[in-house]
C-alpha cells in the first residue's frame, strides 16, 4: 500500500544545525554565528537549565503535576483562566490543536504570503484547503485589515502573524479587532504572537474578553530560549475549555519541558536581557547594513541583498549563518536573527563584505 496523496504537502526544510555546518567547514562550532532560526543567542535561562538537569530524575513518570502547574502559571502570566491555556509540545503543535478543533475536511483556511510555512502544512494535515492573502513588498509588507479581508471568503481559520515572520511588520491591535469583527462568526482568527515579547505592542489576548472566535498563539522557542524543548500554547476562548481534552495528545509536553517552562517564566531577567539586546540589534542592523531593511517588531530583520542564496552561502563560508528567504517567496531577501552585540556586529560586517563582493 501507499500513504494517502500527500503531494499537496510541502516539505519543511529546516536550516542546518551549527555542528553540521562547522563539520562541513572544518571549523570549531564556537566560531560560527548562527542567526538563521530566530533562536535566543543567550541560550535558555540558567534557571531552566538547572530545572532540566534536576528533572532528569523524574523522567520515568508521565508529566502530570508539572503540566497542571505550567498551565496555571501561563494562565496567570497572560491573565486568563487555566482552561483557556492549551499547552502543547511547541507552537506548531498548538496550531495543530486549533486545526484539529475546528477544521472539517475540505474547509478552507487563509494564510499570509510571504508567511510562516507551518500554517498551510497544519491545515492540510487536517484535511483543510489553503488560500493566501498577500503582504506586498511595495507597501513594505504593511498589515492592514484590508489586506486580509479582501481575500476573505468565509474561511474557517484566518492566520495573522504579528510581529510577522519573516518581514517583521505588525498589525495594530485595533486592526486585529477589525479583522475579528469583520470575519464571520464561524471563522476562527488565529493571532500568532510568537514574537510578541520583542514588540512594544499590546497583546491580542485582550480580545478574548468579549470574543469567542479568536485564539492567540505563543511559544517558548524565541524569547524564552527553549526552542529545543518544544513548548508552546494557544490561548482560546473561555467557551472552548472542554475541547482541550479532545484534541490534546496525552502527555505531549514532556516532564523536562514543563519544568523548564516553569523555571523560564520565573526568570524575568533573562527575558529582559534577551529583549533589550534584540531591540538594540535590530536597530544596529538597520543603521549599519549596506542594504535595504524593514522595520521589525521581532528578533530579526529582513534585508534585501539581491541574490539571497548566493549571499547566504558566501556568509556561511565565512562562518555566519543567515536565512535565505527564497523559501518564503523572497529570493532577493535574507532574514537575520538578532544576535548578541558581538554576534550581530560580526554578521553585519560579514554581510556588508559579501554584498560588496557580489555586486562588484
Ligand atoms: C517560531 C514560530 C512559531 C512557533 O515555533 P515553535 O518552535 O513550534 O514553538 C510560530 N509562529 C511563528 C511565526 C514562528 O516564527
Amino acid at each position: 500500500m501507499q500513504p494517502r496523496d500527500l503531494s499537496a504537502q510541502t516539505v519543511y526544510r529546516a536550516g542546518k544545525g551549527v555542528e553540521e555546518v562547522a563539520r562541513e567547514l572544518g571549523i570549531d562550532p564556537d566560531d560560527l554565528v548562527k542567526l538563521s532560526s530566530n533562536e535566543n543567542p543567550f541560550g535558555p535561562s540558567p534557571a531552566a537549565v538547572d530545572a532540566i538537569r534536576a528533572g532528569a530524575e523524574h523522567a520515568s513518570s508521565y508529566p502530570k503535576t508539572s503540566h497542571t502547574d505550567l498551565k496555571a502559571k501561563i494562565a496567570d502570566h497572560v491573565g486568563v483562566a487555566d482552561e483557556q491555556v492549551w499547552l502543547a509540545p511547541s507552537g506548531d503543535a498548538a496550531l495543530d490543536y486549533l486545526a484539529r478543533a475546528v477544521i472539517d475536511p475540505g474547509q478552507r483556511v487563509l494564510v499570509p504570503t510571504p508567511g510562516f510555512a507551518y500554517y498551510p502544512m497544519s491545515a492540510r494535515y487536517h484535511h483543510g484547503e489553503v488560500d493566501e492573502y498577500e503582504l506586498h513588498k511595495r507597501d513594505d509588507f504593511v498589515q492592514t485589515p484590508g489586506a486580509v479581508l479582501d481575500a476573505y471568503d468565509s474561511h474557517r481559520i484566518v492566520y495573522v502573524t504579528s510581529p510577522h515572520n519573516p518581514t517583521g511588520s505588525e498589525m495594530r491591535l485595533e486592526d486585529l479587532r477589525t479583522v475579528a469583527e469583520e470575519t464571520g462568526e464561524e471563522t476562527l482568527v488565529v493571532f500568532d504572537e510568537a514574537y510578541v515579547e520583542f514588540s512594544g505592542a499590546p497583546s491580542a489576548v485582550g480580545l478574548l474578553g468579549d470574543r469567542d472566535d479568536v485564539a492567540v498563539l505563543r511559544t517558548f522557542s524565541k524569547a524564552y530560549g527553549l526552542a529545543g524543548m518544544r513548548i508552546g500554547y494557544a490561548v482560546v476562548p473561555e467557551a472552548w475549555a472542554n475541547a482541550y481534552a479532545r484534541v490534546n495528545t496525552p502527555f505531549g509536553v514532556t516532564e523536562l519541558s514543563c519544568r523548564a517552562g516553569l523555571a523560564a517564566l520565573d526568570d524575568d531577567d533573562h527575558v529582559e536581557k534577551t529583549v533589550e539586546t534584540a531591540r538594540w540589534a535590530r536597530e544596529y542592523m538597520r543603521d549599519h547594513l549596506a542594504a535595504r531593511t524593514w522595520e521589525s517588531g521581532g528578533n530579526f530583520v529582513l534585508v534585501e541583498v539581491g541574490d539571497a542564496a548566493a549571499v547566504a552561502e558566501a556568509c556561511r563560508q565565512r562562518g555566519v549563518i543567515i536565512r535565505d528567504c527564497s523559501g518564503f517567496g523572497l529570493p532577493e531577501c535574507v532574514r537575520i536573527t538578532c544576535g548578541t552585540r558581538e554576534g550581530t556586529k560580526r554578521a553585519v560586517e560579514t554581510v556588508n563584505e559579501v554584498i560588496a563582493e557580489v555586486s562588484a
Side-chain angles (χ1 to χ4, degrees):
M1 67 166 285
Q2 288 284 314
R4 70 180 168 99
D5 180 8
L6 296 172
S7 54
Q9 286 294 341
T10 41
V11 177
Y12 185 80
R13 297 193 193 283
K16 287 181 182 167
V18 174
E19 284 81 11
E20 204 178 348
V21 174
R23 221 177 286 147
E24 282 172 14
L25 298 175
I27 62 174
D28 190 322
D30 290 342
D31 293 335
L32 279 175
V33 180
K34 182 169 183 281
L35 300 176
S36 53
S37 300
N38 298 344
E39 293 150 334
N40 188 321
F42 297 112
S45 147
V49 174
D50 288 345
I52 293 165
R53 285 217 176 86
E57 291 183 21
H58 303 271
S60 55
S61 304
Y62 283 111
K64 242 344 248 136
T65 310
S66 60
H67 185 274
T68 307
D69 290 352
L70 181 54
K71 269 183 80 145
K73 200 174 192 78
I74 292 168
D76 188 48
H77 177 69
V78 297
V80 297
D82 294 10
E83 307 77 51
Q84 288 178 266
V85 176
W86 284 12
L87 190 57
S90 75
D92 289 354
L95 289 168
D96 282 341
Y97 287 8
L98 294 171
R100 277 187 203 176
V102 304
I103 297 178
D104 275 323
Q107 288 184 321
R108 310 194 72 82
V109 307
L110 189 60
V111 307
T113 184
F116 188 56
Y118 199 68
Y119 307 142
M121 291 174 70
S122 174
R124 290 192 180 110
Y125 289 150
H126 296 88
H127 307 276
E129 317 243 335
V130 179
D131 294 321
E132 296 179 334
Y133 64 92
E134 197 162 346
L135 303 179
H136 295 280
K137 188 171 154 195
R138 60 165 188 267
D139 301 330
D140 292 329
F141 306 105
V142 64
Q143 297 205 69
T144 59
V148 181
L149 295 170
D150 288 351
Y152 173 72
D153 182 17
S154 300
H155 290 86
R156 185 63 166 155
I157 305 182
V158 173
Y159 298 89
V160 176
T161 324
S162 185
H164 178 264
N165 179 9
T167 68
S169 76
E170 298 184 77
M171 189 181 277
R172 294 176 312 175
L173 185 57
E174 67 232 60
D175 292 339
L176 292 174
R177 183 184 289 280
T178 302
V179 172
E181 272 168 8
E182 299 292 316
T183 49
E185 273 172 37
E186 296 304 318
T187 295
L188 174 70
V189 184
V190 175
F191 294 124
D192 183 342
E193 295 189 344
Y195 300 98
V196 73
E197 293 86 358
F198 302 102
S199 157
S203 166
V205 168
L207 299 179
L208 284 155
D210 55 4
R211 301 205 67 91
D212 65 1
D213 58 355
V214 166
V216 175
L217 187 84
R218 297 274 186 92
T219 178
F220 282 77
S221 296
K222 311 285 162 53
Y224 289 94
L226 291 174
M229 296 306 288
R230 315 305 297 132
I231 328 172
Y233 58 95
V235 186
V236 304
E238 229 168 341
W240 292 39
N242 295 333
Y244 182 62
R246 298 176 190 277
V247 297
N248 177 38
T249 303
F251 308 118
V253 189
T254 72
E255 177 70 15
L256 294 187
S257 298
C258 288
R259 287 169 180 257
L262 283 163
L265 275 177
D266 273 336
D267 192 346
D268 292 336
D269 290 348
H270 188 71
V271 177
E272 255 168 51
K273 177 172 84 170
T274 300
V275 169
E276 225 170 76
T277 308
R279 287 182 177 165
W280 170 85
R282 67 195 186 199
E283 291 319 309
Y284 184 88
M285 286 196 265
R286 296 207 64 207
D287 290 345
H288 295 272
L289 279 165
R292 180 177 178 199
T293 58
W294 283 268
E295 195 173 330
S296 172
N299 65 338
F300 54 85
V301 171
L302 187 72
V303 191
E304 188 169 46
V305 293
D307 184 344
V311 168
E313 175 54 23
C315 288
R316 194 180 74 95
Q317 295 292 338
R318 291 164 165 84
V320 173
I321 310 171
I322 57 178
R323 175 61 65 96
D324 163 14
C325 289
S326 299
F328 286 103
L330 298 169
E332 72 286 16
C333 293
V334 295
R335 189 194 65 197
I336 309 177
T337 303
C338 296
T340 59
R341 281 167 203 260
E342 194 194 348
T344 302
K345 286 179 180 168
R346 179 162 156 214
V348 167
E349 203 177 306
T350 305
V351 171
N352 283 346
E353 272 171 29
V354 165
I355 292 172
E357 274 173 35
V358 168
S359 57

